[in-house]
Amino acid sequence: MLLEKSFDASNAVLNAAPPADDAAARLLRHVLKVWAREQGVTEAEVPAFIDGVLNYATTSILDGRYGRAGA
């Protein structure tokens, strides 16, 4: 499960390109891709959209975990 993984900057859940064996990261990227397409995001913009969402989530998690203010 995602929350059970220890924090590591190289953690595949937080990276844009997860390794092939990280099913949770692949599933998250797939869900974001489907949602983006349903919202009218063009195919060319989908990768940047996914990276932006994952970056925002990573920043939010780190801010909450380490008490950093402002992202």
Side-chain angles (χ1 to χ4, degrees):
M1 192 168 163
L2 294 177
L3 298 176
E4 294 172 357
K5 293 187 177 201
S6 61
F7 173 74
D8 178 0
S10 64
N11 189 325
V13 175
L14 304 178
N15 289 339
D21 63 342
D22 194 336
R26 286 193 334 264
L27 177 63
L28 177 58
R29 291 184 66 79
H30 175 74
V31 168
L32 286 171
K33 184 183 294 185
V34 170
W35 186 85
R37 288 175 179 160
E38 289 176 352
Q39 300 307 311
V41 178
T42 64
E43 282 298 313
E45 296 173 338
V46 168
F49 171 79
I50 291 171
D51 291 342
V53 170
L54 293 177
N55 183 47
Y56 179 81
T58 301
T59 302
S60 298
I61 291 167
L62 293 176
D63 287 349
R65 182 175 290 164
Y66 298 110
R68 293 189 244 167

